[in-house]
Structures are given as C-alpha cells and as structure tokens.
C-alpha cells in the first residue's frame, strides 16, 4: 500500500555538514561536539549525525542513553556523550555500548563504576558542574565530595574521568562571563583534587560563535549546526550558516468566498471582501505552533501570506485575495531565506516563541522526511 507524500520536511545534509565546518572555523578548537538530541532538533537524528561527522564533528551529544543507543544501533562509532539519566539508571547498556556519560553526583559516579565492573570495562565520564544555570550539574557546595570521589575512582582505574563540562545561561555576555569565572574555579578545585580532564567544554552554540573566552578546547553546538541562530536577536547568515530544513506541502483545496465569511475555529478572521482561501494540510498535529494563528508566514506562488484564522490539528487557511491559486500548488512554511523562504525565526516571532521550539515540535508527526545532499 503506497501513498503520495504531501507534508514534507526536506533536510539538506550538505547544509548540516557545511554548518559544522563553519562552526569549527569560528570556534578554532580541536573538538566540536554536535548535539543530535530530540531527533536532531527535528531534523532526523541518524542522518543529521552522519552529516555532522562528515562536516568535521569529533563528538556527538544526546540528552539521554536511549538516544545514544539509537546512534550505536545505526552503526555510528564516533564518541557519544549523554548527560540526563533516570534516577534508577543502571548504566549497563550505555557502558557496554561505549557511550560516554555525563555525571552530576556521587551516586551517579558509583552507579557508573558498578556498571563498569559488571561489564569488565572502564567507563568514561564527563563531570558536569553547575555554574549558575541551576539545572543539571553538581552545585558548588557539592563539588568537594563529588570531585574527591571522581579523583579516587579515576586513580584506581575504575573510571576514566576524561572531561568536565558546564552550560551557560545565554542571558548576556556579562552573565555568561560570570559563569565562566565559576567554571574556572571549578577547574582549579578539580586540579587540586588531582584531576585534569582531557576535554573541557562550556560553550554551546551561542558562546561557540560569539564568546571566545568560553571555548577552552571543545565546544558543543546544537541549533547552529542546523543553520538556526541560537537567539532571536541573531540570524544564521551573520555566521555563514545555512538553514538545513525546508518544511513544505501543497494546497489541497481552494474556494472563493463572499465578504464577511468566517474562517476556521473561533472566527479569528472574517473576510473583508470577496476573496480566495487556500487550504494548507498542516496543523498542530504536525507540530505547527497554534500560537502562530493569524501570523505564521506562508510562501505560496512567490508571495508570502499570513495564516488566516486559527491553526487546527490538521490544517489551516491562507487568504490570498484575488491572487491565482490552484490545488497542488507548492507551499513553504519555512526554509532558507536566501531562497526567498520564510525562516524558522519568522515562525518563532509569529508564535511568540523561539526557533528551537518551532523545529523540535516536529518530532513524532505525520511528516515525511526527505534527505537531499551527499553528506
């Protein structure tokens, strides 16, 4: 049984590879970890990971072990780091699959060590320090016990403490540089405890692109690898990055309606005069943000129109006035502005959101993924 795809996320793997190469050039460090968590920010984890490696990534990053195992099952042998773990995680599968683990507590260090004993191997860990984000990481008051335990396990050969990491808030350069000071103190205390890990990484996409002081010898990049700027105040072209995804579909119905016709649920939009409505077969069931109702930009036959009325689960409407439109006409919600497309950032503004959310909401939808490029 076959069908004709009509909701398509087209991903250019050459763009991902090119973006990674560009990030390497800007950051100027030996090691670049590309984050492919959350289905590679909606772009497809395994193809994006392979493209990132083709572009010069030396590491891949995931949020959790299940994602990391998916990479291994796809035959990817590159170093993979993951850092958010279940409270009762045993770590056996991860250790057996040679996945490097972020550790944030003495309990995690002990559990990872035990998994190493059971699997007759030495697990690799990166210590995660909280430097002011107040999320996942050992807080400064926990550092003494945490670092002492890590040093003892490293010295005994039970663990390979090969890295140390933290995460910036991206609030402002001043705030991030304050966190850098805290991180530097952490590195000093780690050295006093007898540890000087090989990999030191603090900068994610924003700092990797804009804050040289934070780069150390390794950076992590997620959103920038997909050609999306890490804040809504920036744009990818400022850094020579190319958006990798084009979200496209086709018009499935057209109707001419009179003045004062209500459009979609709640009649947020009523026609001001006789006009033509085009039906677009994407909705919040496909990850399209409902908050972009009345605002989300749509490219249709060379013109950009806003969503007319409420975005529904499977569809929304565009009011094209008297412009010509036909069933089957090509539609782009977002893509590469260099090709005349609306951008992910345009949709973020329309939804009062951020570009990260616009693309990662596409996970688990009815979209068909189409990959172009050689990477």
């Amino acid at each position: 049984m076959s069908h004709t795809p009509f909701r398509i996320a087209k991903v250019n793997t050459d763009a991902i590879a090119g973006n990674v190469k560009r990030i390497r050039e800007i950051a100027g460090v030996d090691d670049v970890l590309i984050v492919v968590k959350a289905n590679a920010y909606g772009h497809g984890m395994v193809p994006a990971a392979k493209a990132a490696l083709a572009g010069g990534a030396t590491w891949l990053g995931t949020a959790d072990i299940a994602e990391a195992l998916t990479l291994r099952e796809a035959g990817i042998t590159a170093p993979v780091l993951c850092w958010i773990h279940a409270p009762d995680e045993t770590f056996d599968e991860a250790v057996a699959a040679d996945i490097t683990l972020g550790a944030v507590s003495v309990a995690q260090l002990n559990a990872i060590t035990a998994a190493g004993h059971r699997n007759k191997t030495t697990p690799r860990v990166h210590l995660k320090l909280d430097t002011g984000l107040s999320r996942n990481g050992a807080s400064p008051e926990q550092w003494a016990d945490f670092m002492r335990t890590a040093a003892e396990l490293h010295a005994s050969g039970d663990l390979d403490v090969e890295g140390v990491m933290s995460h910036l808030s991206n609030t402002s350069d001043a705030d991030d540089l304050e966190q850098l000071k805290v991180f530097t103190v952490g590195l000093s205390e780690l050295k006093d405890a007898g540890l000087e890990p090989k990999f030191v990484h603090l900068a994610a996409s924003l700092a990797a692109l804009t804050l040289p002081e934070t780069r150390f010898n390794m950076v992590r990049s997620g959103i920038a690898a997909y050609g999306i700027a890490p804040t809504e105040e920036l744009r990818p072209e400022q850094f020579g990055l190319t958006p990798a995804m084009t979200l496209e579909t086709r018009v499935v119905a057209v109707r001419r309606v009179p003045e004062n016709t209500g459009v979609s649920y709640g009649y947020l939009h009523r026609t001001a005069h006789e006009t033509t409505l085009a039906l677009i077969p994407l909705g919040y069931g496909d990850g399209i943000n409902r908050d972009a109702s009345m605002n989300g930009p749509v490219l249709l036959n060379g013109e950009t129109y806003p969503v007319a009325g409420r975005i529904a689960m499977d569809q929304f409407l565009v009011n094209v006035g008297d412009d010509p439109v036909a069933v089957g006409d090509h539609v782009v919600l977002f893509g590469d502005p260099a090709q005349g497309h609306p951008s992910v950032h345009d949709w973020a503004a329309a939804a009062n959101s951020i570009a990260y959310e616009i693309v990662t909401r596409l996970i688990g939808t009815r979209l068909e993924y189409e990959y172009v490029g050689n990477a």
Side-chain angles (χ1 to χ4, degrees), residues 96-273:
D98 194 28
I99 292 163
T100 304
L101 297 159
V104 303
S105 67
V106 170
Q108 284 186 352
L109 291 172
N110 288 332
I112 294 167
T113 298
H117 291 163
R118 288 191 295 271
N119 285 274
K120 296 181 173 56
T121 189
T122 303
R124 293 194 302 274
V125 297
H126 288 210
L127 307 180
K128 189 166 187 185
L129 308 182
D130 176 25
T131 56
L133 201 54
S134 304
R135 299 193 316 184
N136 186 38
S139 59
E141 58 270 20
Q142 297 170 324
W143 286 356
D145 287 344
F146 181 54
M147 292 176 179
R148 182 176 60 251
T149 301
E152 290 171 353
L153 292 170
H154 182 82
S156 66
D158 291 294
L159 285 182
D160 178 2
V161 181
E162 68 169 8
V164 57
M165 63 190 290
S166 189
H167 203 330
L168 298 169
S169 74
N170 297 347
T171 304
S172 68
D173 283 358
D175 285 288
D176 286 350
L177 290 173
E178 283 301 311
Q179 281 192 252
L180 172 62
K181 291 179 183 177
V182 178
F183 188 60
T184 302
V185 170
L187 295 179
S188 177
E189 294 190 14
L190 202 58
K191 185 176 181 180
D192 290 343
L195 284 172
E196 293 186 74
K198 177 181 178 181
F199 301 105
V200 180
H201 47 118
L202 174 63
S205 283
L206 181 60
L209 295 173
T210 66
L211 211 56
E213 304 96 313
T214 65
R215 291 171 185 157
F216 292 93
N217 64 5
M218 181 174 180
V219 299
R220 303 182 307 271
S221 183
I223 200 75
Y226 309 105
I228 300 170
T231 74
E232 297 309 311
E233 292 73 41
L234 301 172
R235 287 298 177 267
E237 57 269 22
Q238 293 175 243
F239 305 99
L241 304 174
T242 302
M245 179 188 287
T246 303
L247 183 61
E248 57 187 50
T249 185
R250 290 179 293 158
V251 174
V252 293
V254 174
R255 69 180 60 199
R256 190 76 177 169
V257 299
E259 176 186 357
N260 202 35
T261 296
V263 176
S264 194
Y265 293 122
Y267 289 174
L268 295 183
H269 179 75
R270 290 179 185 269
T271 58
H273 45 72

Side-chain angles (χ1 to χ4, degrees), residues 1 3 9 128-129 139 224 229 233 248 278 322 325 330 344 365:
M1 184 172 169
H3 71 286
K128 189 166 187 185
L129 308 182
S139 59
E233 292 73 41
E248 57 187 50
D322 296 323
V325 63
H330 183 245
V344 173
T365 69

Side-chain angles (χ1 to χ4, degrees), residues 321-347:
D322 296 323
D323 293 343
V325 63
V327 170
D329 283 352
H330 183 245
V331 174
V332 174
L333 274 69
F334 57 77
D336 185 357
Q339 299 182 37
H341 302 156
S343 73
V344 173
H345 295 283
D346 294 333
W347 271 85

Side-chain angles (χ1 to χ4, degrees), residues 63-111:
D64 61 35
I65 291 170
E67 293 174 322
L69 290 172
T70 298
L71 296 175
R72 288 289 185 254
E73 289 161 5
I76 292 172
T77 58
V80 178
L81 172 67
C82 62
W83 50 81
I84 298 178
H85 312 303
D88 55 353
E89 178 60 58
T90 65
F91 299 102
D92 285 281
E93 282 188 288
V95 169
D98 194 28
I99 292 163
T100 304
L101 297 159
V104 303
S105 67
V106 170
Q108 284 186 352
L109 291 172
N110 288 332

